[in-house]
């Protein structure tokens, strides 16, 4: 749960003080024999349900998870405001939500009024430069199928054009976006309500563990999204200003695309860098190398300052693991799956680590050496 769940878990692993946490839930049984059989049956039923959910309910579940991620961003902003504004949590959430909508409105206006013409020129410019690069390779004895490359470039530019149209106000999947926003606001407004409801469906002996896991997930998700937003801001503003100072064409659009694509770790930066370099070489060799230098400097700052700072306070994920998850999620669920692959892998890792630690603790209490792998 992405709200103020750090306070939901009481000290020493105790559950929060609430009448509902002391009641028997639907998964509590009186007899040990019945409990054991019920748990065995639940394993098989759960496996079957997971398969069914993966086939038929994957998209709705992904939308729900996107709502939780959005709630984490709202909650993180409200917590940050709480350090400087001594007002109620509800007012802080309102300020964050209104500020977010104001920023999106400004972005749509900026894209529609300032970079609309640039967005129309970008695909043609990049395609021309790509074909020019192909001619250079063929002139030096490297044979590449021009038809295949042209088709690939056009497909890639079709994705870029779609992205610029989205920024300009032609939103795809408006219904999904609306559901994500509404879910995020509801969860951020009363996180402990939903957390207690989920905990009630678990056996009593598992509720304290659930609250601790939810608290850790919420904190890690907030830090992960905070780092993502900081990276987007630094890359977008830094790229746009550096390109504008040198007079690179479409500097504003390139900065905006860099910021948006920075939300996709591992994949977004190379795509935005390639577009930037191709546009730079359209203005000459010197401008092209300048764009390469801008890309390297901006990515170095992000990779050596922002990413390590965030990694110290959140889940440290292997880049290859995240990239593999992005490829799979992107192929299955499109842009939404690609954007959520990183936080989803992080939450799964936290759950596995907590489960392993709990198992080790139980085995240790029983006096049996634990040989499993932790963390």
């Amino acid at each position: 749960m992405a709200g103020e769940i750090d306070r939901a878990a009481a000290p020493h692993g105790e559950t929060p003080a609430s009448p509902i946490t002391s009641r028997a839930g639907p998964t509590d049984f009186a007899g040990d024999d019945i409990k054991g059989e019920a748990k065995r049956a639940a394993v098989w039923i759960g496996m079957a349900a997971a398969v069914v959910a993966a086939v038929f309910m994957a998209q709705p579940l992904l939308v729900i998870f996107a709502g939780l991620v959005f709630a984490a961003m709202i909650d993180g902003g409200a917590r940050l405001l709480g350090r400087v504004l001594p007002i109620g949590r509800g007012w802080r959430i309102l300020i964050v939500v209104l500020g977010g909508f104001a920023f999106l409105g400004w972005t749509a206006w900026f894209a529609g009024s300032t970079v609309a013409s640039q967005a129309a020129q970008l695909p043609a410019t990049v395609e021309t430069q790509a074909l020019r690069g192909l001619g250079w390779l063929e002139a030096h004895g490297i044979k590449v199928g021009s038809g295949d490359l042209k088709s690939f470039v056009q497909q890639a530019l079709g994705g870029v054009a779609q992205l610029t149209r989205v920024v300009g106000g032609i939103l795809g999947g408006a219904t999904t976006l609306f559901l994500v926003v509404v879910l995020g606001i509801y969860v951020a407004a009363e996180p402990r309500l939903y957390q207690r409801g989920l905990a009630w469906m678990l056996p009593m002996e598992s509720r304290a563990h659930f609250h601790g896991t939810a608290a850790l997930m919420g904190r890690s998700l907030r830090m992960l999204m905070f780092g993502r937003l900081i990276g987007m801001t630094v890359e977008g503003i830094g790229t746009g200003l550096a390109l504008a100072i040198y007079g690179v064409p479409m500097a504003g659009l390139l900065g905006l695309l860099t910021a948006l694509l920075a939300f996709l770790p591992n994949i977004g930066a190379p795509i935005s860098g390639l577009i930037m370099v191709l546009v730079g070489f359209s203005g000459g060799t010197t401008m092209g190398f300048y764009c390469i230098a801008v890309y390297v400097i901006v990515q170095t700052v992000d990779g050596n300052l922002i990413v390590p700072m965030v990694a110290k306070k959140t889940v440290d994920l292997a880049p290859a693991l995240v990239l593999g998850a992005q490829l799979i999620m992107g192929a299955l669920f499109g842009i939404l799956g690609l954007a959520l692959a990183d936080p989803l892998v992080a939450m799964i890792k936290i759950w596995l680590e907590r489960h392993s630690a709990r198992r080790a603790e139980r085995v240790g209490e029983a006096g049996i050496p634990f040989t499993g792998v932790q963390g």
Side-chain angles (χ1 to χ4, degrees):
M1 306 287 68
E4 285 189 335
I5 51 181
D6 292 347
R7 301 176 184 174
H12 308 296
E14 296 177 0
T15 56
S18 175
I20 196 173
T21 59
S22 59
R23 300 178 190 170
T27 52
D28 288 300
F29 301 93
D32 292 337
D33 294 338
I34 297 178
K35 183 186 297 185
E37 292 299 326
K39 287 185 176 180
R40 292 188 185 93
V43 170
W44 293 103
I45 295 174
M47 292 177 62
V51 173
V52 173
V55 175
F56 296 102
M57 298 179 61
Q59 193 70 26
L61 291 175
L62 200 62
V63 172
I64 294 173
F65 182 70
L68 296 179
V69 173
F70 184 64
M73 298 170 69
I74 297 175
D75 183 63
R79 288 169 179 262
L80 192 61
L81 280 178
R83 298 181 179 181
V84 295
L85 292 179
I87 58 178
R89 173 179 167 80
W91 290 107
R92 286 183 274 128
I93 290 178
L94 180 62
I95 293 174
V96 171
V97 172
L98 292 179
F101 282 126
F103 174 76
L104 291 177
W106 174 84
T107 303
W109 172 83
F110 175 75
S113 62
T114 306
V115 301
S117 59
Q118 299 178 0
Q121 299 171 7
L122 179 62
T125 301
V126 175
E127 182 177 354
T128 300
Q129 291 304 112
L131 294 178
R132 183 180 298 177
L134 173 63
W136 183 87
L137 292 175
E138 291 181 345
H140 289 76
I142 302 176
K143 301 296 182 182
V144 182
S146 58
D148 295 338
L149 181 61
K150 185 174 182 179
S151 175
F152 171 77
V153 170
Q154 289 176 344
Q155 290 178 1
L157 291 174
V160 173
Q162 290 177 5
L163 181 59
T164 55
R165 286 197 298 269
V166 167
V167 175
I170 304 177
L171 296 176
T175 302
T176 300
L177 180 62
F178 175 76
L179 291 175
V180 169
V181 171
V182 172
L183 283 171
I185 294 175
Y186 278 139
V187 174
E190 293 185 288
R192 284 177 286 184
L193 173 65
Y194 303 100
Q195 183 176 336
R196 288 195 299 265
L198 288 176
W200 177 76
M201 293 187 290
L202 299 174
M204 287 185 177
E205 64 271 15
S206 300
R207 293 177 187 177
H209 176 76
F210 168 78
H211 285 298
T213 302
L216 183 58
M217 285 183 172
R219 180 180 179 278
S220 299
L221 195 56
R222 288 193 301 272
M223 293 302 303
L224 187 64
M225 291 298 102
F226 177 74
R228 191 78 57 83
L229 292 176
I230 292 296
M232 292 172 64
T233 303
V234 170
E235 292 188 30
I237 294 178
T239 299
L241 289 178
L243 297 181
I245 290 173
Y246 196 81
V248 177
M250 297 174 277
L253 177 61
L254 292 174
L256 188 58
L257 287 176
T258 300
L260 293 175
L261 290 172
F263 191 81
L264 306 176
N266 301 328
I267 294 179
I271 295 176
S272 62
L274 176 62
I275 297 173
M276 183 198 315
V277 171
L278 290 176
V279 172
F281 276 106
S282 69
T285 304
T286 304
M287 183 178 291
F289 282 111
Y290 176 81
C291 290
I292 294 176
V294 169
Y295 172 77
V296 172
I297 292 173
V298 170
Q299 294 303 318
T300 299
V301 171
D302 184 52
N304 291 293
L305 294 179
I306 299 174
V307 173
M309 177 187 68
V310 176
K312 290 180 180 179
K313 299 184 178 181
T314 186
V315 183
D316 191 12
L317 298 174
L321 177 63
V322 176
L323 181 59
Q326 287 176 330
L327 294 176
I328 295 174
M329 294 289 290
L332 292 176
F333 309 111
I335 188 65
L336 183 61
L338 187 64
L340 295 177
D342 190 19
L344 185 60
V345 171
M347 298 303 100
I348 292 175
K349 181 181 179 183
I350 290 175
W351 180 79
L352 291 175
E353 289 177 344
R354 290 276 297 173
H355 178 74
S356 177
R358 187 187 187 195
R359 183 185 174 194
E361 182 180 352
R362 287 182 171 180
V363 173
E365 290 176 353
I368 304 174
F370 179 65
T371 57
V373 178
Q374 278 189 268

